[in-house]
Amino acid sequence: EWTFSGCNALESIQLPERMTTLEKCLFAHCKALKEVTLPAGLTTIGSKVFFECSELATIALPSNLISIGEWAFARCTK
């Protein structure tokens, strides 16, 4: 939780293939984040993971995704 929250210089992320869950608020308030590559095996995106990532324009959700938490993409205005 909150591991990278508020990292304003973080512009892109390529997550490891072994990840299956993104914990709550992991990248919240990363206002420069533009590009995210999610692993194919991802099944869960927790609440507010990308909250207020206002530069995030597009993201491809993997087909194995089962759950997206509340406000996971809230205030992503692009």
Side-chain angles (χ1 to χ4, degrees), residues 20-23 41-47 49 64-69:
T20 59
T21 301
L22 298 182
E23 297 294 331
L42 188 71
T43 59
T44 305
I45 296 176
S47 63
V49 170
N64 291 336
L65 195 61
I66 296 169
S67 173
I68 299 176

Side-chain angles (χ1 to χ4, degrees), residues 9-62:
L10 186 62
E11 292 184 12
S12 67
I13 306 162
Q14 183 170 355
L15 298 169
E17 284 301 316
R18 67 182 179 277
M19 286 189 81
T20 59
T21 301
L22 298 182
E23 297 294 331
K24 172 177 131 178
C25 301
L26 186 63
F27 298 106
H29 309 287
C30 292
K31 298 187 188 265
L33 186 60
K34 296 175 186 172
E35 181 182 343
V36 178
T37 303
L38 298 175
L42 188 71
T43 59
T44 305
I45 296 176
S47 63
K48 296 184 180 179
V49 170
F50 297 104
F51 182 77
E52 288 190 348
C53 291
S54 55
E55 291 298 313
L56 187 60
T58 60
I59 188 168
L61 300 177

